Amino acid sequence: MSCIFCRIVGGEIPAEVVASDLENVAFLDVQPLADGHVLVVPRAHVAAIEDLEPAAADALFRMVQRLAGPVRQALDAAGTTIGINNGGATGQTVPHVHVHIIPRWPDDGAGSVHTIFPRHTTRRLPDVATAIRRAAAA
Ligand code: AMP
Ligand code: ZN
């Protein structure tokens, strides 16, 4: 088993586990972007969110929702940024689905999700919406 998160899920390597259930394990990121940076991973090895079984996706988001409040409270944070790097092109370095929960404070120097993007678009909204509706209906 070479996947680092599978090895954490399997108990082969240590991690600061903060919660677990039948479908997921949540543990501290070993290189935290802020105190309280948590990763929630499904027990099943799946690289991309779209490849998760529907029940596993439900359970994953339920765990994220369950932990958002405790992470905020434990770190006395004002909010949390919650995100997924989904695919190598996005900066995903571990090819096992994981949701980052990162506590945030006023003036912590970090930006919103919007700050990731240079806002480069070329296509009209109606055309984009039509393309996505078609793909989602297929
Ligand atoms: P990403 O760039 O979205 O793939 O994030 C992967 C995250 O996994 C990074 O923030 C790493 O710091 C974290 N990470 C890598 N190895 C471990 C580990 N053994 N225990 C905890 N977190 C890890
Ligand atoms: Zn894995």
Side-chain angles (χ1 to χ4, degrees):
M1 199 193 300
S2 61
C3 170
I4 192 95
F5 289 171
C6 282
R7 294 174 71 194
I8 289 174
V9 167
E12 284 181 37
I13 62 169
E16 286 291 349
V17 173
V18 296
S20 65
D21 62 16
L22 282 176
E23 300 270 10
N24 310 285
V25 179
F27 51 88
L28 295 184
D29 193 304
V30 77
Q31 291 187 295
L33 294 170
D35 289 335
H37 182 170
V38 166
L39 300 175
V40 186
V41 310
R43 289 182 183 275
H45 178 86
V46 172
I49 191 94
E50 48 267 51
D51 295 329
L52 270 179
E53 291 297 328
D58 290 350
L60 178 64
F61 195 73
R62 178 72 185 98
M63 175 65 93
V64 171
Q65 188 266 348
R66 183 184 139 202
L67 283 176
V71 168
R72 185 200 289 228
Q73 286 153 22
L75 279 299
D76 199 20
T80 48
T81 292
I82 295 174
I84 300 173
N85 291 322
N86 193 38
T90 71
Q92 183 181 6
T93 58
V94 178
H96 181 136
V97 170
H98 50 283
V99 182
H100 296 261
I101 304 177
I102 308 167
R104 298 293 305 273
W105 298 267
D107 305 320
D108 62 10
S112 75
V113 169
H114 298 272
T115 62
I116 301 171
F117 296 89
R119 201 181 283 280
H120 174 71
T121 59
T122 56
R123 297 173 62 173
R124 296 173 57 250
L125 292 188
D127 297 341
V128 172
T130 298
I132 294 172
R133 279 192 292 266
R134 278 200 192 118

